[in-house]
Amino acid sequence: MARLNILEYPDPRLRTKAKQVMRVDDRVRQLIDDLLETMYDAPGIGLAASQVDVHERIIVVDVSDQRDEPYAFINPTLELAGELVETEEGCLSLPGFYEVIERSERATVKALGRNGEAIEMATEGLLAVCIQHECDHLEGRLFVDYLSGLKRQRIRKKLEKQHRQRA
Ligand code: GNR
Ligand code: NI
């Protein structure tokens, strides 16, 4: 297992559209294990492969309090349902910034699991929100894209300054 480096906004690599996984093999299972370790260590409730500069359609999530209900979804697709709900979201690629975002309250996810099995899961609440957030990463979308240009620019400038000071 390994902890992977998480790209931070406005790194242009976060805008890459991820490719379909063609074969669920040991390489993919190792990546899933590394994504989970990186997510738990951060700590976060979800992580997309895009965030660690691997542009393949793989996400992991665990919204449980005990941190013992991991899910991995390969090639996920979503069917959204229900009302729009507002949730304060964070993102490991935007450390320290939290903003209220509207998402569908329900999402049915179809995907492959870590053994290549077909999964269909109806989700709601924080899990549904988190899965929508992760699937956005696979398209190169970030939660700041839903904010006003002014708010987005303010966040970008603060993060760029932090990155300069770290360098
Ligand atoms: O840790 C995370 N918390 C979170 C809170 C509300 C909505 C979405 C998330 S996902 C985020 C981790 C992350 O950046 N995943 O891509
Ligand atoms: Ni994120």
Side-chain angles (χ1 to χ4, degrees), residues 46-48 51 89-94 130 133-134 137 141-143:
L47 192 65
Q51 291 176 277
E89 295 195 16
C91 181
L92 296 171
S93 297
L94 290 128
C130 185
H133 173 117
E134 302 315 332
H137 278 298
R141 270 197 305 272
L142 301 168
F143 81 68

Side-chain angles (χ1 to χ4, degrees), residues 4-16 35 38-39 42-55 89-99 133-134 136-138 140-145 147 152 155-160 162-163 166:
L4 307 172
N5 181 53
I6 298 176
L7 300 176
E8 293 187 7
Y9 181 76
D11 193 310
R13 292 173 288 182
L14 287 167
R15 298 311 193 172
T16 311
L35 287 170
T38 305
M39 176 189 78
I45 61 171
L47 192 65
S50 313
Q51 291 176 277
V52 300
D53 203 22
V54 175
H55 301 287
E89 295 195 16
C91 181
L92 296 171
S93 297
L94 290 128
F97 294 92
Y98 301 88
E99 297 285 346
H133 173 117
E134 302 315 332
D136 269 358
H137 278 298
L138 301 180
R141 270 197 305 272
L142 301 168
F143 81 68
V144 286
D145 300 342
L147 305 175
R152 188 164 54 249
I155 292 171
R156 179 170 55 75
K157 291 206 161 130
K158 285 190 184 168
L159 280 169
E160 282 173 342
Q162 281 182 28
H163 297 160
R166 235 183 275 164

Side-chain angles (χ1 to χ4, degrees), residues 86-118:
E86 294 190 330
T87 309
E88 185 169 78
E89 295 195 16
C91 181
L92 296 171
S93 297
L94 290 128
F97 294 92
Y98 301 88
E99 297 285 346
V100 173
I101 304 292
E102 272 191 352
R103 304 267 188 193
S104 295
E105 66 178 350
R106 288 180 220 288
T108 298
V109 55
K110 292 182 187 172
L112 299 177
R114 63 175 288 134
N115 295 309
E117 77 281 19

